[in-house]
Amino acid sequence: MKITRCIGVAMLIAVVGSPGDASAQPGLEITPQVGAAFFFSDLPEQLAVSDTRVLEGAEFFDRALSLGLAAGLRVSDALAVEAAFSWHPVNLRADDGLRRSVDSQVWDYGVNGLFALPALGSARPFVGLGVGRTTIEYGIANSDNRSEWTAKVLAGLMIEASERSAFRIQVSDQAMRYASGVTGVDDTWTNRLSVSFGLSMRPEVG
């Protein structure tokens, strides 16, 4: 499992702020994000996209746009839990089974737990773990959507922009077991590094 292959280069600018700041107190946090996803692993040698269609040598283009939204609750100065959603329009190609590359879509949705570390001046690093599902729409006529469980690790840095907002740069390394769907063909573990930039907001409630 290659879930930590690229996480060492990650940094995240997020919405919490340094200890004692108003944005570090418990409350609701909402973060729209934009960024990029990088695909590092190959798909199975043979991939069934429907009951009657099998692709050979299929792969996604190695990078794609990423649009996402995270919404969650900071339960203490150091701990936050959030629901996260992201969308990636990708290009799928194959050595056999496709006449040309096709536009596909990858949807991620799940839950992350974030733990803030001691502040370094005005910045505050954090780490996290996540679990969720990925759904893939191949964009091929009569093909079946594919959904698989995923796991991810997060790392980052938090810097406050104002009392109730902050810039956020998020890096995550996500692993997913990709089933071939073809008898006798091994499944593979795919690995994806995602980098996103956003603005986290903490609306006043009550």
Side-chain angles (χ1 to χ4, degrees):
M1 200 170 159
K2 302 177 182 177
I3 193 170
T4 58
R5 176 161 49 170
C6 299
I7 199 62
V9 298
M11 284 211 138
L12 183 94
I13 301 174
V15 60
V16 187
S18 55
D21 290 341
S23 59
Q25 302 308 310
L28 178 67
E29 295 175 354
I30 301 173
T31 309
Q33 298 168 308
V34 61
F38 302 88
F39 296 81
F40 289 103
S41 305
D42 295 330
L43 300 179
E45 294 180 2
Q46 294 182 314
L47 177 64
V49 296
S50 71
D51 292 338
T52 59
R53 191 165 194 172
V54 174
L55 306 183
E56 294 190 12
E59 62 178 356
F60 291 120
F61 190 64
D62 59 3
R63 58 187 178 275
L65 172 71
S66 174
L67 298 176
L69 179 69
L73 181 67
R74 176 154 297 284
V75 296
S76 71
D77 178 66
L79 181 65
V81 179
E82 64 179 13
F85 166 84
S86 62
W87 169 70
H88 317 280
V90 298
N91 189 258
L92 175 67
R93 51 198 176 197
D95 296 333
D96 188 35
L98 287 177
R99 293 183 179 179
R100 57 179 178 80
S101 61
V102 297
D103 294 328
S104 303
Q105 300 183 75
V106 177
W107 307 84
D108 295 323
Y109 40 96
V111 178
N112 301 326
L114 305 177
F115 182 77
L117 302 175
L120 302 172
S122 62
R124 192 175 190 185
F126 73 86
V127 294
L129 295 173
V131 63
R133 297 276 287 178
T134 290
T135 296
I136 300 167
E137 297 181 5
Y138 290 114
I140 303 171
N142 301 317
S143 64
D144 301 319
N145 293 344
R146 173 67 58 85
S147 291
E148 302 284 357
W149 286 102
T150 62
K152 70 171 70 172
V153 291
L154 312 168
L157 185 68
M158 307 176 239
I159 300 177
E160 185 185 23
S162 69
E163 183 179 353
R164 292 195 172 273
S165 67
F167 300 109
R168 176 168 172 166
I169 303 172
Q170 177 172 301
V171 179
S172 64
D173 190 21
Q174 177 174 292
M176 178 183 78
R177 185 167 184 171
Y178 210 111
S180 166
V182 179
T183 302
V185 177
D186 293 336
D187 301 338
T188 61
W189 282 98
T190 63
N191 182 242
R192 181 174 4 126
L193 179 71
S194 297
V195 182
S196 60
F197 301 80
L199 178 66
S200 292
M201 297 165 284
R202 186 170 178 265
E204 190 170 359
V205 179

